[in-house]
Amino acid sequence: MNIVLGVSGGIAAYKSADLVRRLKERGCEVQVVMTAAAERFITPLTFQAVSGRPVRSSLLDPAAEAAMGHIELARWADRILIAPASANTLARLAAGMADDLLSTLCLASSAPLLLAPAMNQQMWQAPAVQANIATLRARGVDILGPAAGQQACGDVGPGRMLEPLELADMLLASSPVESLLAGLKVMITAGPTREALDPVRFLTNRSSGKMGFALAAACQAAGAEVELIAGPVNLPTPPGVRRHDVVSAEQMLEKALSCVAGQNIFISTAAVSDYRPQQYRDSKIKKSTEALSLALEKTPDILATLSHRESSLFTVGFAAETHDLEHYARDKMQRKNLDMVCANQVGADQGFDVDHNALSVFWPGGQAELASQPKRALAEELVELIALRYAAGFAGPHEAAAGDD
Ligand code: PMT
């Protein structure tokens, strides 16, 4: 998605550099356009470095216009987000002014306009600012925030710009894929599980939850109602998604069984521990012997349990493999009775706990390669595939067979 990020003059402009990074992580192309006042708070060079594109600020710059004219730029944008949007910028937009590049772009583009106001709390509450907000809202402009809290000037109250992560998620939630999964319910498991040995130790793996959370955000943006069952991860909940935190494989299974009624699609991204200690010790295991053997037992297979029980559920599994991706992925699809399986190469700096990923996707009678990209952009591509397969009417139960994970 192509984003024009307008930056106007305010202390929150320093957060907009991080916003560029967050948008790029989600696969967006970002063109920063600064007002003259914004350049007093942060340099164009900072934005050029994080966006990878020269910043635009002047309406009458022959060199910049020769590369991409302002009308071309207005057409290029899929979304225009102004963050921070100062009181002055809100007033100029409400009045329909066109005396600098940013205000002109807003008039010349048919792309949805989103504004993230940031100003002193007294200014935000001023009748003139509220009247401008009402005018802009009435024209269909999305106003994101502001949040309330401690302000740079020392005041406390409404007027803080929303955090970059929230803004990036809100922007993508308004993306054009919004109706792909409209009316559907999607349940997703994400992150690792922890299997306790004693009160202070557990078995787990390196899953960060990023892939599953990206899918939850992408499904929500595509119009689905999303239940996200998360193992222990340190990630914010995507806006509009209902999250359930669990710790162990057993708890993840219980939660999935209690949420599954009425679900249409189940995406099993979680890296569920395959084994757990046979015995949980109530007190800390003491270091008394040179060697210690642990007896492990299998955990319940959440994905296989649900796919065998729920014949009307479209089930998407993941296969984390270090070699022979296709062979093991197809084997899992058959044994776990899946409608689709997404294989990813895992290892040092691949798959687990990184921001990029690539997937080989298989379903009965077809396959697709999704190239390496930020997990959020990858999630959007996968959601499109899932929506297509779901709409095409998925194949019935597959033959179950024995094998290894
Ligand atoms: O979380 P990130 O850091 O972003 O990393 C993403 C990821 C690498 C964890 C993700 O892309 C991924 O591959 N998830 C599945 C990892 C895994 O456990 O794969 P598996 O091949 O061991 O399991 C196959 C399938 O069965 C998976 O869909 C898994 O969720 C499911 N399973 C496995 C065991 C079990 N007891 N219950 C299950 O439901």
Side-chain angles (χ1 to χ4, degrees), residues 213-261:
F213 275 57
L215 274 161
C219 287
Q220 200 278 338
E225 206 178 297
V226 183
E227 306 281 345
L228 174 61
I229 305 176
V233 297
N234 188 18
L235 293 174
T237 310
V241 166
R242 201 169 309 131
R243 172 173 177 172
H244 311 269
D245 287 315
V246 297
V247 177
S248 65
E250 194 66 48
Q251 289 173 1
M252 194 173 265
L253 174 65
E254 268 171 36
K255 186 47 78 181
L257 286 173
S258 75
C259 291
V260 74

Side-chain angles (χ1 to χ4, degrees), residues 207-209 211 268-270 300 302-303 318 332 336 344 353 375:
S207 170
S208 63
M211 192 67 240
S268 183
T269 328
I302 301 161
L303 178 57
F318 270 66
K332 278 175 191 170
K336 298 198 185 206
N344 45 190
D353 199 17
K375 283 182 176 171

Side-chain angles (χ1 to χ4, degrees), residues 162-389:
L162 293 181
E163 292 306 315
L165 199 60
E166 289 174 278
L167 288 175
D169 282 339
M170 286 167 123
L171 181 82
L172 284 157
S174 70
S175 80
V177 292
E178 56 210 13
S179 57
L180 273 179
L181 296 178
L184 296 180
K185 293 187 174 186
V186 179
M187 181 167 79
I188 300 174
T189 58
T193 63
R194 279 183 191 167
E195 311 301 329
L197 279 159
D198 69 13
V200 294
R201 302 184 180 97
F202 50 80
L203 298 178
T204 191
N205 58 66
R206 286 175 41 214
S207 170
S208 63
K210 287 177 186 171
M211 192 67 240
F213 275 57
L215 274 161
C219 287
Q220 200 278 338
E225 206 178 297
V226 183
E227 306 281 345
L228 174 61
I229 305 176
V233 297
N234 188 18
L235 293 174
T237 310
V241 166
R242 201 169 309 131
R243 172 173 177 172
H244 311 269
D245 287 315
V246 297
V247 177
S248 65
E250 194 66 48
Q251 289 173 1
M252 194 173 265
L253 174 65
E254 268 171 36
K255 186 47 78 181
L257 286 173
S258 75
C259 291
V260 74
Q263 297 294 323
N264 303 103
I265 298 171
F266 173 42
I267 309 177
S268 183
T269 328
V272 184
S273 189
D274 288 321
Y275 290 90
R276 65 186 166 204
Q278 218 167 48
Q279 193 197 352
Y280 172 76
R281 317 282 176 97
D282 289 327
S283 51
K284 187 180 166 207
I285 301 168
K286 303 306 283 180
K287 186 171 61 179
S288 52
T289 52
E290 275 310 307
L292 176 68
S293 299
L294 290 173
L296 303 178
E297 64 183 11
K298 271 192 171 171
T299 55
D301 193 312
I302 301 161
L303 178 57
T305 305
L306 292 185
S307 74
H308 285 102
R309 270 194 201 190
E310 307 286 329
S311 58
S312 61
L313 189 67
F314 185 88
T315 46
V316 182
F318 270 66
E321 308 294 346
T322 51
H323 59 284
D324 293 337
L325 248 67
E326 178 164 356
H327 169 75
Y328 287 120
R330 286 192 184 279
D331 176 61
K332 278 175 191 170
M333 179 159 70
Q334 193 190 24
R335 278 191 296 111
K336 298 198 185 206
N337 192 35
L338 308 178
D339 299 293
M340 185 180 267
V341 67
C342 310
N344 45 190
Q345 181 85 37
V346 295
D349 298 332
Q350 276 182 304
F352 284 87
D353 199 17
V354 287
D355 292 328
H356 283 63
N357 201 12
L359 292 172
S360 302
V361 185
F362 303 96
W363 60 89
Q367 68 181 81
E369 292 298 321
L370 306 185
S372 178
Q373 54 193 307
K375 283 182 176 171
R376 177 55 205 267
L378 182 66
E380 277 178 20
E381 285 195 10
L382 181 57
V383 164
E384 279 182 41
L385 260 184
I386 292 173
L388 273 175
R389 293 303 310 150

Side-chain angles (χ1 to χ4, degrees), residues 102-179:
L102 187 56
S103 54
T104 306
L105 280 176
C106 291
L107 287 182
S109 178
S110 59
L113 176 61
L114 300 95
L115 306 176
M119 65 198 74
N120 164 270
Q121 54 89 20
Q122 196 66 48
M123 288 172 76
W124 170 252
Q125 293 174 82
V129 171
Q130 288 305 311
N132 289 332
I133 288 286
T135 302
L136 291 163
R137 274 208 175 107
R139 285 187 204 143
V141 174
D142 262 346
I143 309 293
L144 311 181
Q150 185 80 38
Q151 302 202 298
C153 56
D155 277 10
V156 178
R160 280 166 60 103
M161 189 171 90
L162 293 181
E163 292 306 315
L165 199 60
E166 289 174 278
L167 288 175
D169 282 339
M170 286 167 123
L171 181 82
L172 284 157
S174 70
S175 80
V177 292
E178 56 210 13
S179 57

